[in-house]
Short mmCIF file of all heavy atoms in Angstrom, two decimals:
data_model
loop_
_atom_site.label_atom_id
_atom_site.label_comp_id
_atom_site.label_asym_id
_atom_site.label_seq_id
_atom_site.Cartn_x
_atom_site.Cartn_y
_atom_site.Cartn_z
N VAL A 22 98.92 127.04 107.34
CA VAL A 22 98.42 126.96 108.71
C VAL A 22 98.91 128.14 109.54
O VAL A 22 98.16 128.73 110.30
CB VAL A 22 98.79 125.61 109.36
CG1 VAL A 22 98.45 125.60 110.85
CG2 VAL A 22 98.06 124.46 108.66
N SER A 23 100.19 128.53 109.35
CA SER A 23 100.66 129.65 110.18
C SER A 23 99.94 130.95 109.80
O SER A 23 99.63 131.75 110.68
CB SER A 23 102.19 129.78 110.14
OG SER A 23 102.62 129.87 108.82
N ARG A 24 99.63 131.14 108.52
CA ARG A 24 98.85 132.32 108.13
C ARG A 24 97.43 132.25 108.69
O ARG A 24 96.92 133.23 109.26
CB ARG A 24 98.81 132.47 106.60
CG ARG A 24 97.93 133.64 106.12
CD ARG A 24 98.45 135.00 106.54
NE ARG A 24 99.82 135.21 106.07
CZ ARG A 24 100.11 135.75 104.89
NH1 ARG A 24 99.16 136.13 104.07
NH2 ARG A 24 101.37 135.91 104.53
N ALA A 25 96.79 131.10 108.56
CA ALA A 25 95.40 130.97 109.03
C ALA A 25 95.31 131.14 110.54
O ALA A 25 94.31 131.62 111.07
CB ALA A 25 94.83 129.62 108.60
N ARG A 26 96.39 130.77 111.25
CA ARG A 26 96.37 130.90 112.72
C ARG A 26 96.37 132.36 113.16
O ARG A 26 96.03 132.64 114.32
CB ARG A 26 97.59 130.19 113.33
CG ARG A 26 97.36 128.72 113.51
CD ARG A 26 98.47 128.09 114.34
NE ARG A 26 98.29 126.65 114.40
CZ ARG A 26 99.28 125.76 114.24
NH1 ARG A 26 100.51 126.20 114.03
NH2 ARG A 26 99.02 124.48 114.30
N THR A 27 96.75 133.28 112.28
CA THR A 27 96.64 134.68 112.67
C THR A 27 95.16 135.08 112.76
O THR A 27 94.82 136.08 113.39
CB THR A 27 97.39 135.63 111.70
OG1 THR A 27 96.80 135.52 110.40
CG2 THR A 27 98.86 135.27 111.62
N TYR A 28 94.27 134.30 112.13
CA TYR A 28 92.83 134.54 112.22
C TYR A 28 92.16 133.60 113.23
O TYR A 28 91.23 133.99 113.93
CB TYR A 28 92.17 134.34 110.85
CG TYR A 28 92.58 135.39 109.83
CD1 TYR A 28 93.74 135.24 109.08
CD2 TYR A 28 91.80 136.53 109.65
CE1 TYR A 28 94.12 136.21 108.15
CE2 TYR A 28 92.17 137.50 108.72
CZ TYR A 28 93.34 137.33 107.98
OH TYR A 28 93.71 138.29 107.06
N VAL A 29 92.62 132.34 113.28
CA VAL A 29 92.04 131.34 114.20
C VAL A 29 93.20 130.59 114.86
O VAL A 29 93.71 129.62 114.32
CB VAL A 29 91.12 130.35 113.45
CG1 VAL A 29 90.65 129.23 114.38
CG2 VAL A 29 89.92 131.07 112.86
N PRO A 30 93.64 131.06 116.05
CA PRO A 30 94.82 130.48 116.69
C PRO A 30 94.68 128.99 117.01
O PRO A 30 95.68 128.28 117.09
CB PRO A 30 94.97 131.30 117.98
CG PRO A 30 94.25 132.59 117.70
CD PRO A 30 93.13 132.25 116.76
N SER A 31 93.45 128.49 117.17
CA SER A 31 93.27 127.09 117.58
C SER A 31 93.36 126.11 116.42
O SER A 31 93.21 124.91 116.60
CB SER A 31 91.90 126.92 118.27
OG SER A 31 90.87 127.24 117.35
N LEU A 32 93.61 126.61 115.21
CA LEU A 32 93.66 125.73 114.05
C LEU A 32 94.82 124.72 114.17
O LEU A 32 95.93 125.10 114.53
CB LEU A 32 93.85 126.58 112.78
CG LEU A 32 93.36 125.99 111.47
CD1 LEU A 32 91.85 125.87 111.46
CD2 LEU A 32 93.84 126.85 110.31
N ALA A 33 94.54 123.45 113.88
CA ALA A 33 95.58 122.40 113.94
C ALA A 33 95.72 121.74 112.58
O ALA A 33 94.72 121.46 111.91
CB ALA A 33 95.18 121.34 114.98
N ALA A 34 96.97 121.50 112.17
CA ALA A 34 97.21 120.83 110.88
C ALA A 34 96.81 119.37 110.98
O ALA A 34 96.99 118.73 112.01
CB ALA A 34 98.69 120.94 110.51
N MET A 35 96.24 118.82 109.89
CA MET A 35 95.99 117.39 109.83
C MET A 35 97.33 116.68 109.75
O MET A 35 98.31 117.23 109.26
CB MET A 35 95.18 117.02 108.57
CG MET A 35 93.90 117.79 108.36
SD MET A 35 92.62 117.47 109.60
CE MET A 35 91.97 115.92 109.00
N GLU A 36 97.37 115.43 110.21
CA GLU A 36 98.60 114.64 110.10
C GLU A 36 98.54 113.65 108.95
O GLU A 36 99.55 113.09 108.54
CB GLU A 36 98.85 113.90 111.40
CG GLU A 36 99.10 114.84 112.56
CD GLU A 36 99.67 114.13 113.77
OE1 GLU A 36 99.73 112.89 113.75
OE2 GLU A 36 100.05 114.82 114.72
N GLU A 37 97.32 113.38 108.47
CA GLU A 37 97.13 112.45 107.35
C GLU A 37 96.23 113.15 106.35
O GLU A 37 95.39 113.97 106.74
CB GLU A 37 96.44 111.17 107.83
CG GLU A 37 97.21 110.42 108.90
CD GLU A 37 98.52 109.85 108.39
OE1 GLU A 37 98.62 109.63 107.17
OE2 GLU A 37 99.43 109.63 109.20
N PHE A 38 96.38 112.79 105.07
CA PHE A 38 95.64 113.52 104.04
C PHE A 38 94.95 112.53 103.12
O PHE A 38 95.52 111.50 102.75
CB PHE A 38 96.60 114.42 103.26
CG PHE A 38 97.40 115.31 104.18
CD1 PHE A 38 98.65 114.93 104.59
CD2 PHE A 38 96.85 116.49 104.66
CE1 PHE A 38 99.38 115.72 105.48
CE2 PHE A 38 97.56 117.28 105.55
CZ PHE A 38 98.82 116.91 105.96
N HIS A 39 93.72 112.84 102.78
CA HIS A 39 92.98 111.95 101.89
C HIS A 39 91.80 112.71 101.28
O HIS A 39 91.45 113.80 101.73
CB HIS A 39 92.46 110.74 102.67
CG HIS A 39 91.44 111.12 103.70
ND1 HIS A 39 91.78 111.40 105.00
CD2 HIS A 39 90.10 111.31 103.62
CE1 HIS A 39 90.68 111.74 105.68
NE2 HIS A 39 89.65 111.70 104.87
N LEU A 40 91.23 112.10 100.27
CA LEU A 40 90.02 112.63 99.65
C LEU A 40 88.92 111.58 99.84
O LEU A 40 89.08 110.43 99.43
CB LEU A 40 90.30 112.92 98.17
CG LEU A 40 89.22 113.67 97.39
CD1 LEU A 40 89.85 114.50 96.28
CD2 LEU A 40 88.21 112.69 96.79
N SER A 41 87.84 111.97 100.50
CA SER A 41 86.79 111.01 100.83
C SER A 41 85.94 110.63 99.63
O SER A 41 85.57 111.49 98.83
CB SER A 41 85.86 111.59 101.90
OG SER A 41 86.52 111.65 103.13
N LEU A 42 85.61 109.33 99.54
CA LEU A 42 84.67 108.84 98.52
C LEU A 42 83.41 108.30 99.18
O LEU A 42 82.50 107.84 98.51
CB LEU A 42 85.33 107.72 97.70
CG LEU A 42 86.58 108.12 96.90
CD1 LEU A 42 87.23 106.89 96.29
CD2 LEU A 42 86.23 109.14 95.82
N SER A 43 83.37 108.33 100.52
CA SER A 43 82.17 107.89 101.23
C SER A 43 82.07 108.68 102.52
O SER A 43 83.07 109.27 102.96
CB SER A 43 82.24 106.39 101.56
OG SER A 43 83.03 106.17 102.72
N GLN A 44 80.90 108.70 103.11
CA GLN A 44 80.78 109.16 104.47
C GLN A 44 81.37 108.07 105.35
O GLN A 44 81.71 106.98 104.88
CB GLN A 44 79.31 109.34 104.85
CG GLN A 44 78.57 110.35 103.98
CD GLN A 44 77.18 110.61 104.53
OE1 GLN A 44 77.01 110.98 105.70
NE2 GLN A 44 76.16 110.40 103.71
N CYS A 45 81.46 108.33 106.64
CA CYS A 45 81.81 107.25 107.56
C CYS A 45 80.52 106.50 107.86
O CYS A 45 79.52 107.10 108.26
CB CYS A 45 82.38 107.81 108.85
SG CYS A 45 82.76 106.50 109.99
N VAL A 46 80.52 105.20 107.60
CA VAL A 46 79.32 104.39 107.83
C VAL A 46 79.65 103.30 108.84
O VAL A 46 80.81 103.07 109.15
CB VAL A 46 78.82 103.76 106.51
CG1 VAL A 46 78.38 104.85 105.53
CG2 VAL A 46 79.88 102.86 105.89
N VAL A 47 78.62 102.64 109.35
CA VAL A 47 78.83 101.62 110.36
C VAL A 47 78.55 100.24 109.77
O VAL A 47 77.48 100.00 109.24
CB VAL A 47 77.90 101.85 111.57
CG1 VAL A 47 78.10 100.74 112.60
CG2 VAL A 47 78.21 103.19 112.20
N LEU A 48 79.56 99.37 109.82
CA LEU A 48 79.41 98.00 109.32
C LEU A 48 79.42 97.02 110.49
O LEU A 48 80.23 97.17 111.40
CB LEU A 48 80.59 97.65 108.41
CG LEU A 48 80.51 97.93 106.91
CD1 LEU A 48 81.80 97.45 106.26
CD2 LEU A 48 79.31 97.26 106.28
N ARG A 49 78.57 96.02 110.44
CA ARG A 49 78.69 94.91 111.38
C ARG A 49 79.94 94.12 111.01
O ARG A 49 80.32 94.07 109.85
CB ARG A 49 77.46 93.98 111.29
CG ARG A 49 76.14 94.69 111.48
CD ARG A 49 75.99 95.25 112.87
NE ARG A 49 75.94 94.21 113.89
CZ ARG A 49 76.10 94.44 115.20
NH1 ARG A 49 76.32 95.67 115.63
NH2 ARG A 49 76.05 93.44 116.05
N TYR A 50 80.56 93.50 112.00
CA TYR A 50 81.82 92.80 111.76
C TYR A 50 81.72 91.80 110.61
O TYR A 50 82.57 91.73 109.73
CB TYR A 50 82.28 92.10 113.03
CG TYR A 50 83.56 91.33 112.82
CD1 TYR A 50 84.78 92.00 112.69
CD2 TYR A 50 83.56 89.94 112.72
CE1 TYR A 50 85.96 91.32 112.47
CE2 TYR A 50 84.75 89.25 112.50
CZ TYR A 50 85.93 89.94 112.38
OH TYR A 50 87.10 89.26 112.14
N HIS A 51 80.65 91.01 110.58
CA HIS A 51 80.55 89.93 109.57
C HIS A 51 80.23 90.48 108.18
O HIS A 51 80.23 89.72 107.22
CB HIS A 51 79.52 88.88 109.99
CG HIS A 51 78.15 89.46 110.25
ND1 HIS A 51 77.81 90.02 111.47
CD2 HIS A 51 77.07 89.57 109.46
CE1 HIS A 51 76.56 90.45 111.41
NE2 HIS A 51 76.08 90.19 110.21
N TRP A 52 79.99 91.79 108.07
CA TRP A 52 79.76 92.39 106.75
C TRP A 52 81.06 92.87 106.10
O TRP A 52 81.08 93.18 104.92
CB TRP A 52 78.84 93.60 106.85
CG TRP A 52 77.41 93.28 107.11
CD1 TRP A 52 76.82 92.05 107.12
CD2 TRP A 52 76.38 94.23 107.41
NE1 TRP A 52 75.48 92.18 107.42
CE2 TRP A 52 75.18 93.50 107.59
CE3 TRP A 52 76.36 95.62 107.54
CZ2 TRP A 52 73.98 94.12 107.89
CZ3 TRP A 52 75.15 96.24 107.83
CH2 TRP A 52 73.98 95.49 108.01
N ILE A 53 82.13 92.99 106.90
CA ILE A 53 83.34 93.62 106.37
C ILE A 53 83.86 92.87 105.15
O ILE A 53 84.13 93.47 104.10
CB ILE A 53 84.44 93.73 107.45
CG1 ILE A 53 83.98 94.68 108.56
CG2 ILE A 53 85.74 94.25 106.84
CD1 ILE A 53 84.91 94.73 109.75
N GLU A 54 83.99 91.55 105.27
CA GLU A 54 84.57 90.77 104.18
C GLU A 54 83.75 90.87 102.90
O GLU A 54 84.29 91.20 101.84
CB GLU A 54 84.75 89.32 104.62
CG GLU A 54 85.91 88.63 103.94
CD GLU A 54 86.12 87.23 104.48
OE1 GLU A 54 86.42 87.10 105.69
OE2 GLU A 54 85.94 86.28 103.70
N PRO A 55 82.43 90.62 102.95
CA PRO A 55 81.64 90.79 101.71
C PRO A 55 81.63 92.23 101.19
O PRO A 55 81.61 92.44 99.98
CB PRO A 55 80.23 90.33 102.11
CG PRO A 55 80.23 90.18 103.58
CD PRO A 55 81.64 90.01 104.03
N PHE A 56 81.67 93.20 102.08
CA PHE A 56 81.71 94.61 101.67
C PHE A 56 82.98 94.89 100.87
O PHE A 56 82.95 95.46 99.78
CB PHE A 56 81.66 95.50 102.92
CG PHE A 56 81.64 96.98 102.64
CD1 PHE A 56 80.45 97.64 102.40
CD2 PHE A 56 82.82 97.73 102.65
CE1 PHE A 56 80.42 99.03 102.15
CE2 PHE A 56 82.81 99.09 102.41
CZ PHE A 56 81.60 99.74 102.16
N VAL A 57 84.12 94.44 101.40
CA VAL A 57 85.41 94.65 100.73
C VAL A 57 85.46 93.89 99.41
O VAL A 57 85.94 94.40 98.40
CB VAL A 57 86.58 94.23 101.67
CG1 VAL A 57 87.89 94.15 100.91
CG2 VAL A 57 86.69 95.22 102.83
N ARG A 58 84.90 92.68 99.39
CA ARG A 58 84.88 91.89 98.15
C ARG A 58 84.08 92.62 97.08
O ARG A 58 84.49 92.73 95.92
CB ARG A 58 84.29 90.51 98.43
CG ARG A 58 84.56 89.49 97.32
CD ARG A 58 83.90 88.14 97.59
NE ARG A 58 84.08 87.73 98.99
CZ ARG A 58 83.07 87.38 99.80
NH1 ARG A 58 81.82 87.40 99.37
NH2 ARG A 58 83.32 87.01 101.04
N SER A 59 82.95 93.14 97.47
CA SER A 59 82.08 93.86 96.54
C SER A 59 82.77 95.13 96.02
O SER A 59 82.70 95.45 94.83
CB SER A 59 80.77 94.19 97.24
OG SER A 59 79.86 94.72 96.33
N LEU A 60 83.45 95.86 96.92
CA LEU A 60 84.22 97.04 96.51
C LEU A 60 85.27 96.64 95.48
O LEU A 60 85.43 97.29 94.45
CB LEU A 60 84.94 97.65 97.71
CG LEU A 60 84.31 98.79 98.49
CD1 LEU A 60 85.28 99.24 99.59
CD2 LEU A 60 83.93 99.97 97.61
N ARG A 61 86.01 95.56 95.79
CA ARG A 61 87.09 95.12 94.91
C ARG A 61 86.56 94.83 93.50
O ARG A 61 87.15 95.22 92.50
CB ARG A 61 87.78 93.89 95.50
CG ARG A 61 89.24 93.77 95.14
CD ARG A 61 89.95 92.65 95.89
NE ARG A 61 90.33 92.95 97.27
CZ ARG A 61 91.23 93.85 97.62
NH1 ARG A 61 91.86 94.56 96.70
NH2 ARG A 61 91.51 94.05 98.88
N GLU A 62 85.42 94.15 93.44
CA GLU A 62 84.83 93.81 92.13
C GLU A 62 84.45 95.07 91.37
O GLU A 62 84.72 95.22 90.18
CB GLU A 62 83.59 92.92 92.31
CG GLU A 62 83.94 91.47 92.61
CD GLU A 62 82.74 90.68 93.15
OE1 GLU A 62 81.59 91.18 93.02
OE2 GLU A 62 82.96 89.58 93.71
N ARG A 63 83.80 96.00 92.05
CA ARG A 63 83.30 97.19 91.36
C ARG A 63 84.41 98.15 90.95
O ARG A 63 84.24 98.93 90.01
CB ARG A 63 82.30 97.94 92.24
CG ARG A 63 80.91 97.35 92.21
CD ARG A 63 80.01 98.21 93.07
NE ARG A 63 78.65 97.70 93.10
CZ ARG A 63 77.66 98.20 92.36
NH1 ARG A 63 77.89 99.20 91.52
NH2 ARG A 63 76.44 97.71 92.46
N LEU A 64 85.52 98.12 91.69
CA LEU A 64 86.59 99.09 91.42
C LEU A 64 87.68 98.52 90.51
O LEU A 64 88.57 99.24 90.08
CB LEU A 64 87.22 99.57 92.73
CG LEU A 64 86.26 100.31 93.68
CD1 LEU A 64 86.93 100.57 95.03
CD2 LEU A 64 85.76 101.61 93.07
N ALA A 65 87.60 97.24 90.20
CA ALA A 65 88.68 96.55 89.49
C ALA A 65 88.99 97.17 88.13
O ALA A 65 90.12 97.17 87.67
CB ALA A 65 88.34 95.07 89.32
N ALA A 66 87.97 97.72 87.46
CA ALA A 66 88.16 98.20 86.09
C ALA A 66 88.73 99.62 86.04
O ALA A 66 89.07 100.11 84.96
CB ALA A 66 86.83 98.14 85.33
#
């Protein structure tokens, strides 16, 4: 970040780090539980 700031002073470091597996999507509240259940089933293996 300090090297890159010599080119773009406004650059800010992230505070959290992750690798995305989805875009950000919009869920209705009552879909959260079935959505998570379905994820759990598909990812279990």
Side-chain angles (χ1 to χ4, degrees):
V22 172
S23 54
R24 176 64 57 89
R26 276 191 185 136
T27 62
Y28 292 85
V29 174
S31 62
L32 205 67
M35 307 294 281
E36 296 194 352
E37 301 293 336
F38 307 95
H39 66 268
L40 188 150
S41 289
L42 298 172
S43 81
Q44 300 187 56
C45 178
V46 296
V47 178
L48 270 181
R49 305 295 295 165
Y50 178 74
H51 56 276
W52 287 352
I53 295 173
E54 210 176 297
F56 182 86
V57 168
R58 195 182 317 126
S59 187
L60 265 182
R61 210 172 281 294
E62 283 165 15
R63 279 182 180 260
L64 298 173

